[in-house]
Amino acid sequence: MSHTIVTSVCEGVADCVDACPVNCIDQGPGKNAKGTDWYWIDFATCIDCGICLQVCPVEGAIIPEEKSELQLMK
Ligand code: SF4
Ligand code: SF4
């Protein structure tokens, strides 16, 4: 299982990127519906540790489930 970054909610703060112990969070191209940068989690590499969710300042941007329909990939 994996965590998911909800593309339309992420604000591109990127606190999650440095916090992830397996370096599986990458920036997507362009802007999301909010007009901000956005990031995505590589489901195949994520170890479901939950650290990204703890450090993300944006309510609802990361959810502790694998929901591919909510997250665009690069
Ligand atoms: S998921 Fe949260 S911490 Fe990560 S880039 Fe988006 S807003 Fe920032
Ligand atoms: S749950 Fe852990 S391994 Fe998965 S993206 Fe978040 S910080 Fe990285």
Side-chain angles (χ1 to χ4, degrees):
M1 282 295 287
S2 170
H3 279 46
T4 297
I5 295 178
V6 182
T7 305
S8 61
V9 178
C10 177
E11 296 183 0
V13 183
D15 288 350
C16 57
V17 176
D18 289 336
C20 177
V22 295
N23 197 25
C24 71
I25 305 176
D26 286 310
Q27 188 171 359
K31 306 292 183 188
N32 64 6
K34 280 184 175 176
T36 71
D37 293 338
W38 58 279
Y39 286 77
W40 60 281
I41 292 170
D42 176 8
F43 294 150
T45 307
C46 175
I47 57 170
D48 222 17
C49 70
I51 292 172
C52 54
L53 180 54
Q54 291 171 34
V55 301
C56 178
V58 179
E59 180 82 37
I62 300 179
I63 55 174
E65 300 170 86
E66 188 171 320
K67 293 261 186 190
S68 58
E69 67 273 25
L70 298 179
Q71 177 186 271
L72 295 178
M73 308 289 269
K74 185 153 54 181

